[in-house]
Amino acid sequence: INMDNQTYSDLESYETVKKVNTLNTDIESVEIHNQNLAFPEGTVIQDTPGIDATFKNHEQSTMKYLLISDIVFYTVEYNHVNAEKNFRQIKMMNELGVPVVLLINQVDKHDENEILFTAFKEKVEQNIKMWNLNVEAIYFTSIYACEHNQFDQLKGQLNQQVDDLTADRDGFYDRIIDYIERAQINYLN
């Protein structure tokens, strides 16, 4: 665990990491090193508490990683996907130039008797268009087997993204430079 003020602590179990996280301790990041043949060496997957995290230090930690991320898989719960806050946050990421893939999780909650899935999906797409958002892709996921679960397609997208980003590091640097230039110009104006 990387604590605030560059303090580091080795923990022996995942259970201990979870316990420390619930104490609202100033944790900057948790590193779990695991060799995985699915991704090239050096691939880093950052799972953050989210922009609307409960604790302020969690939100700050998330924001710190946004700009340096190659891509953000923005995950929302099925029942809250059309919340204005989500669209504002995706808009902010668009302004940073960070590519966004929208993951609508817990799609197993969908009930065809309430709304047809096609209508639900169209409403999400309409809101994205209305907010003028740039979303690379939309996936509906669940930990449970269900009709609209696209988890396997998401895994394919993730693998393709890793391959593409490994091959094109210049795109990442161009995006960072563009953001810094725009921020400086805005500051001077």
Side-chain angles (χ1 to χ4, degrees):
I1 294 180
N2 303 326
M3 311 290 271
D4 201 19
N5 299 322
Q6 308 303 311
T7 306
Y8 301 94
S9 178
D10 286 332
L11 300 178
E12 297 299 320
S13 73
Y14 181 63
E15 290 302 317
T16 307
V17 171
K18 289 193 310 188
K19 182 178 179 184
V20 169
N21 192 42
T22 61
L23 300 174
N24 195 22
T25 307
D26 286 336
I27 298 173
E28 187 167 309
S29 64
V30 175
E31 294 181 17
I32 301 172
H33 297 269
N34 185 25
Q35 188 171 5
N36 185 321
L37 299 178
F39 301 109
E41 188 173 339
T43 301
V44 176
I45 297 175
Q46 301 170 358
D47 182 13
T48 65
I51 294 173
D52 60 348
T54 305
F55 300 119
K56 192 66 174 168
N57 62 328
H58 288 184
E59 183 176 340
Q60 291 167 345
S61 176
T62 299
M63 293 301 294
K64 185 166 39 174
Y65 285 108
L66 278 181
L67 185 59
I68 61 169
S69 297
D70 291 307
I71 188 166
V72 170
F73 288 84
Y74 188 85
T75 307
V76 297
E77 194 264 329
Y78 172 85
N79 288 323
H80 301 155
V81 65
N82 287 311
E84 181 177 335
K85 185 172 187 175
N86 291 324
F87 297 122
R88 278 191 274 119
Q89 291 171 347
I90 293 171
K91 185 74 156 175
M92 185 248 328
M93 286 182 270
N94 285 171
E95 290 167 1
L96 291 173
V98 180
V100 177
V101 172
L102 179 60
L103 304 183
I104 301 170
N105 198 20
Q106 299 177 355
V107 69
D108 54 284
K109 292 182 176 181
H110 177 73
D111 182 353
E112 285 287 322
N113 295 321
E114 291 178 11
I115 184 172
L116 295 176
F117 184 76
T118 54
F120 175 78
K121 184 177 176 183
E122 285 173 11
K123 180 65 175 167
V124 171
E125 291 168 348
Q126 287 171 358
N127 282 330
I128 288 169
K129 187 175 182 176
M130 181 181 76
W131 278 81
N132 197 28
L133 301 177
N134 183 14
V135 174
E136 305 275 322
I138 302 171
Y139 292 98
F140 296 88
T141 62
S142 174
I143 61 171
Y144 304 108
C146 61
E147 180 182 359
H148 305 293
N149 193 355
Q150 297 177 306
F151 188 74
D152 289 335
Q153 294 93 320
L154 171 62
K155 287 192 296 188
Q157 164 91 23
L158 183 57
N159 287 323
Q160 185 61 52
Q161 284 295 145
V162 169
D163 291 345
D164 292 349
L165 294 168
T166 302
D168 180 26
R169 294 308 302 154
D170 289 341
F172 171 79
Y173 296 118
D174 290 343
R175 179 174 58 80
I176 298 296
I177 291 167
D178 178 62
Y179 170 75
I180 293 169
E181 287 175 347
R182 284 185 290 120
Q184 288 297 313
I185 289 169
N186 286 341
Y187 175 77
L188 294 172
N189 290 332

